[in-house]
Amino acid sequence: MFHLIWYILVGLIAGVIAKSVMHVHMTIFWTVVLGIIGSIIGGAVTHMFARPANERYHPAGLIFFHLGAILVLFICYKLKIHFSQGVIPHG
């Protein structure tokens, strides 16, 4: 159960940073999804080049999960995939 909460938390952080860098507006759901996908990609890259010493945590993963989320958002932008922005009230 803790792993699920950790993935959501890390996904939220990575997604918020990625959408801030790319200047994209999206709902909290899509932000978490984007961050989780970016974390998986970033984690895979770090594990391909260097295994963590304690087999659980890789310090470079903290950088690469942000870069993975930015990469996913950039690819979606280039493929013209738009995320739902939710209901925006017009005043």
Side-chain angles (χ1 to χ4, degrees):
M1 182 67 179
F2 181 72
H3 285 97
L4 179 62
I5 295 170
W6 179 249
Y7 286 137
I8 292 171
L9 181 64
V10 168
L12 177 64
I13 293 168
V16 166
I17 291 172
K19 75 179 193 174
S20 296
V21 169
M22 296 294 292
H23 303 290
V24 174
H25 299 285
M26 62 179 76
T27 63
I28 193 77
F29 172 78
W30 286 114
T31 303
V32 171
V33 170
L34 166 72
I36 290 172
I37 293 170
S39 297
I40 292 169
I41 292 171
V45 168
T46 57
H47 278 86
M48 281 192 304
F49 294 108
R51 300 297 262 171
N54 62 6
E55 293 296 324
R56 294 185 67 203
Y57 173 77
H58 199 295
L62 294 174
I63 297 169
F64 277 88
F65 74 77
H66 290 75
L67 295 177
I70 293 169
L71 177 67
V72 169
L73 194 55
F74 179 76
I75 290 171
C76 290
Y77 174 76
K78 288 298 183 181
L79 296 175
K80 300 195 186 313
I81 298 171
H82 299 285
F83 299 96
S84 172
Q85 295 181 9
V87 177
I88 300 173
H90 298 291

